[in-house]
Amino acid sequence: MVQDFDPSVSAADAPETSPAEEETLFVYETDYEVGQDNVEIAGLDVHNPVFFLSAGLIVLFGAMSLIFPDAATHYLTAAKTWTLQRADWLFAVTPVIVFAFALYLAFSPMGRIRLGGASAEPEFKIHSWVAMLFAAGVGVGFMFYGAAEPLAYYTDWYGTPLNVPPATPAAERLAFSATIFHWGLAPWAIYAIVGLALGFFAHNKGLPLSIRSACYHVFGERVWGWPGHIIDMFAVVSTVFGLATTIGIGATQATSGLAYLFGFEPNRYLQIALIAFMTGLAVLSVLRGMDGGVKLLSNINMG
């Protein structure tokens, strides 16, 4: 490591540096070269072995679920029930802690650190940035659960918060409170911390743009070996499963909407077609890059 950030040193007391020096002042020294483990497949630059192991686990899980649907439903439902019954407190406490931590980072001296270096400038305008946050972040889930969740709590479809009687003024207040907790500042704080870790260690520390880079302080150079591979595999598999859930919700919502508008019964074939279309659109947007893909679609989506 060359030199790390010292929050106790004010900007006035800090030594004068040129913009070029500021860009490299806090960069980690490591023998690892970005992309040294990558291989090219069909024109795509992928990491070996993270890509192959992650893809293998995802394909294996999907295949087993299709081959043994009843068993998959049983075990996944049991896992979900156990998690909600035994770890519900964790889901309630963690967002609060992360939100408090995000506030601390924002208002502490560390909040003065500019991602990308002291001379970095925003790549996108604020409108496009906000559009991408919503379109690529909470778009589908917010559109669906923003209306469904408070109604579900109020009518006792999901159970009421704090077990208050359904369809009462108390149920109404708590239904909106729980929904705002799930879709308000708390989840955005979680997204912000993950994005901050990725951006800081990649753009300020010169490390690869991956979750393992945030653990460099913990594992040191070992993070480029199997400890880092496991971290990135966990991140990839979790992200893909999360995206699969989002696409599934979106396909179900779109199918129901089309069926209502055009007067036909929702069917699985239409859902599969919509999933294929959305997946293809997402892949195309990624291949076209931020400006020609994600940014363009997000701006169109937000109007």
Side-chain angles (χ1 to χ4, degrees):
M1 186 189 313
V2 180
Q3 182 176 345
D4 214 340
F5 173 74
D6 184 359
S8 65
V9 178
S10 65
D13 298 331
E16 293 185 2
T17 57
S18 66
E21 291 173 330
E22 289 175 344
E23 291 294 331
T24 60
L25 186 59
F26 305 129
V27 175
Y28 283 132
E29 286 184 342
T30 175
D31 295 331
Y32 183 85
E33 294 184 8
V34 177
Q36 71 177 38
D37 296 326
N38 290 15
V39 295
E40 187 171 321
I41 298 179
L44 299 177
D45 194 33
V46 299
H47 187 279
N48 178 37
V50 171
F51 172 80
F52 300 103
L53 292 176
S54 301
L57 288 173
I58 293 167
V59 171
L60 178 63
F61 181 87
M64 296 299 289
S65 299
L66 291 174
I67 296 172
F68 306 105
D70 294 335
T73 300
H74 171 75
Y75 287 112
L76 290 175
T77 302
K80 175 184 175 182
T81 302
W82 184 91
T83 302
L84 293 178
Q85 290 179 348
R86 302 295 180 87
D88 54 345
W89 61 272
L90 184 62
F91 286 93
V93 172
T94 300
V96 177
I97 296 175
V98 174
F99 179 64
F101 181 60
L103 287 179
Y104 166 74
L105 291 179
F107 292 102
S108 71
M110 287 179 286
R112 295 185 288 109
I113 301 175
R114 180 184 291 268
L115 292 180
S119 59
E121 295 293 335
E123 184 176 353
F124 303 102
K125 295 181 179 179
I126 187 67
H127 174 269
S128 297
W129 180 68
V130 172
M132 287 188 285
L133 283 179
F134 277 92
V138 298
V140 172
F142 191 72
M143 289 292 293
F144 183 84
Y145 285 106
E149 189 167 332
L151 290 173
Y153 289 138
Y154 179 72
T155 59
D156 199 22
W157 181 33
Y158 276 178
T160 58
L162 303 181
N163 295 319
V164 300
T168 61
E172 178 183 351
R173 290 193 300 271
L174 288 174
F176 279 108
S177 297
T179 303
I180 292 172
F181 175 74
H182 291 155
W183 296 96
L185 294 177
W188 283 106
I190 297 175
Y191 306 150
I193 292 299
V194 176
L196 180 62
L198 286 169
F200 177 74
F201 285 98
H203 300 301
N204 291 63
K205 297 298 186 180
L207 300 180
L209 187 63
S210 63
I211 296 295
R212 75 170 73 195
S213 296
C215 301
Y216 184 83
H217 264 302
V218 178
F219 295 102
E221 290 296 314
R222 290 183 300 153
V223 81
W224 313 126
W226 277 105
H229 297 339
I230 293 173
I231 292 170
D232 279 350
M233 285 170 53
F234 181 80
V236 169
V237 172
S238 300
T239 301
V240 170
F241 285 167
L243 289 173
T245 302
T246 300
I247 292 175
I249 292 174
T252 303
Q253 184 180 14
T255 301
S256 299
L258 291 172
Y260 177 80
L261 288 175
F262 298 103
F264 62 85
E265 288 294 323
N267 59 80
R268 185 169 298 178
Y269 299 105
L270 180 58
Q271 290 183 358
I272 294 174
L274 287 172
I275 289 173
F277 173 75
M278 288 188 289
T279 302
L281 197 62
V283 172
L284 179 62
S285 70
V286 171
L287 293 176
R288 286 180 56 85
M290 292 294 292
D291 282 297
V294 177
K295 173 188 171 183
L296 177 63
L297 291 177
S298 299
N299 285 337
I300 294 174
N301 181 63
M302 294 291 285

